Amino acid sequence: MNPKIDKLARDIEKTEKKIADLQKKLELFKEEKTRLENEDYGDIGRDFHLTPKELAEFLKAHRAGTFTVPEAAPPAGEQEVGHEE
């Protein structure tokens, strides 16, 4: 057989193996990213003292665009100071 064809066949095989290895690596990266995102959501829920059900409802409302952020109120004991002239 033509040596060029043999070399190309080896190169194709080598490249296909690299692609398969990289696809496996990509899947692992995606799984790790999802795991870390899920941990973040759990941390956020705990920070705001939300139950898993409340967190799920919040995320659904946010995704649907029906959640609105209320206007921030000044901390307790503080009031806006008006400037009089």
Side-chain angles (χ1 to χ4, degrees):
M1 195 185 271
N2 185 337
K4 288 182 180 180
I5 294 174
D6 289 338
K7 182 181 181 319
L8 284 173
R10 286 191 305 272
D11 287 345
I12 290 169
E13 188 177 324
K14 185 177 167 183
T15 302
E16 287 174 338
K17 181 169 179 2
K18 282 183 182 180
I19 290 170
D21 290 343
L22 287 172
Q23 286 176 329
K24 288 178 189 175
K25 191 173 184 179
L26 177 62
E27 268 311 303
L28 293 174
F29 286 153
K30 287 180 177 181
E31 289 172 7
E32 179 70 3
K33 179 182 175 241
T34 299
R35 187 186 66 76
L36 290 172
E37 287 172 340
N38 289 340
E39 285 179 7
D40 280 351
Y41 288 131
D43 290 344
I44 290 168
R46 282 186 287 281
D47 287 347
F48 287 96
H49 307 289
L50 299 173
T51 66
K53 182 179 179 183
E54 291 169 332
L55 178 60
E57 289 171 0
F58 167 78
L59 293 172
K60 285 178 189 174
H62 186 301
R63 186 179 305 134
T66 58
F67 177 78
T68 57
V69 178
E71 182 122 357
E78 291 183 24
Q79 295 180 356
E80 285 188 29
V81 177
H83 294 290
E84 293 182 17
E85 293 186 31

